[in-house]
Amino acid sequence: MTSLFRIFVFNLNGIRFEFRVRIMSRFIIAIGAGLTYLGLATAPLPALAGDDPNILIMAEDADADGVARNSLISTRILNAVVTQLDQQRFKVYDETAITLDTHRQGRTRRTDAELIDISKSIRKPPIDVVVFFTVYA
């Protein structure tokens, strides 16, 4: 069984020191440490509120000089903003899809106060950030 042991011998001031180390136990410890490291590296960490905000984008069109939210221009700009935020891995939610059951759809020329009330009334998913935009043409 000497193949399972590694022997270290040295003399210090005439005293002989001899160490026998089990090779297999070192191997097992190394494998265990590697698996522990791998397990910790791949374990999901709890998300903090600021790490992954839920974003709602709303077209503000109360200004008479602004383009209505149901116009083609406004829709294209909304889709471009959503696409850019989505590419950055933000969770972006569509106002129409979230408020389908709770609010009247298809309204235009809504005031800031109405948009804020709508965004505050949304419970699922909880909205962290609301982005308003107005298109002028």
Side-chain angles (χ1 to χ4, degrees):
M1 287 270 193
T2 57
S3 63
L4 294 178
F5 291 99
R6 181 172 286 168
I7 301 172
F8 298 98
V9 179
F10 64 94
N11 289 324
L12 181 64
N13 295 332
I15 302 172
R16 180 182 166 119
F17 291 93
E18 186 174 315
F19 296 98
R20 292 184 183 192
V21 180
R22 285 188 177 203
I23 296 173
M24 291 302 285
S25 63
R26 277 188 174 178
F27 179 72
I28 291 172
I29 290 172
I31 292 295
L35 290 175
T36 302
Y37 174 75
L38 192 63
L40 291 175
T42 59
L45 299 175
L48 300 175
D51 288 345
D52 206 9
N54 294 329
I55 300 174
L56 175 65
I57 300 178
M58 304 176 87
E60 178 186 357
D61 59 355
D63 189 354
D65 293 333
V67 176
R69 68 184 278 253
N70 59 356
S71 72
L72 185 60
I73 296 170
S74 183
T75 304
R76 284 185 178 175
I77 291 173
L78 174 69
N79 289 338
V81 171
V82 168
T83 301
Q84 287 186 4
L85 290 172
D86 193 44
Q87 287 174 348
Q88 297 297 320
R89 308 264 185 207
F90 286 105
K91 290 182 180 177
V92 182
Y93 293 95
D94 180 43
E95 171 198 356
T96 305
I98 291 177
T99 61
L100 192 61
D101 297 331
T102 57
H103 293 83
R104 202 170 92 212
Q105 302 299 314
R107 293 208 44 226
T108 58
R109 306 296 179 193
R110 300 174 299 173
T111 64
D112 290 344
E114 185 177 356
L115 293 175
I116 291 170
D117 286 340
I118 291 170
S119 63
K120 282 184 176 180
S121 69
I122 298 170
R123 297 289 176 230
K124 281 191 177 181
I127 301 301
D128 299 313
V129 178
V130 179
V131 177
F132 299 109
F133 73 93
T134 304
V135 179
Y136 294 99

